């Protein structure tokens, strides 16, 4: 099981969501993806993407302007 972190800070919609989708395709089942974003719309877009892909959103955290998503690939 691997963990991959992608820095999506400064990117605006739809780029963070598209990059998360692309990163998920390269992972094996059980792997963890951590996406760090600053666009507030990702709080809506990333959970919607995860509902579509069938993966698992483990955690969403906000620290000042950075929103972090922990996603487990299924």
């Amino acid at each position: 099981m691997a963990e991959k972190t992608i820095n999506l800070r400064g990117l605006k919609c739809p780029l963070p969501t598209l990059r998360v989708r692309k990163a998920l395709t390269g992972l094996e089942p059980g792997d963890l993806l951590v996406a760090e974003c600053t666009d507030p719309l990702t709080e809506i877009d990333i959970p919607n993407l995860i509902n579509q892909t069938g993966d698992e959103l483990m955690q969403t955290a906000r620290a000042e302007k950075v929103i972090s998503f922990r996603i487990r690939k299924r």
Side-chain angles (χ1 to χ4, degrees):
M1 191 170 7
E3 182 173 316
K4 179 178 181 178
T5 301
I6 55 175
N7 181 352
L8 304 172
R9 298 173 190 190
L11 297 179
K12 297 291 182 189
C13 183
L15 289 177
T17 305
L18 294 173
R19 296 218 177 148
V20 166
R21 180 186 295 270
K22 184 176 182 180
L24 284 169
T25 62
L27 297 179
E28 296 294 323
D31 287 351
L32 196 64
L33 176 67
V34 178
E36 299 175 344
C37 309
T38 52
D39 184 357
L41 290 177
T42 58
E43 288 186 292
I44 298 167
D45 294 342
I46 300 291
N48 285 338
L49 170 68
I50 299 309
N51 284 335
Q52 291 174 2
T53 63
D55 298 309
E56 180 182 0
L57 182 59
M58 307 274 300
Q59 180 183 21
T60 302
R62 180 184 274 270
E64 296 187 23
K65 294 184 179 183
V66 179
I67 307 157
S68 298
F69 300 93
R70 295 178 62 83
I71 304 161
R72 182 165 312 279
K73 174 74 175 179
R74 287 198 179 167

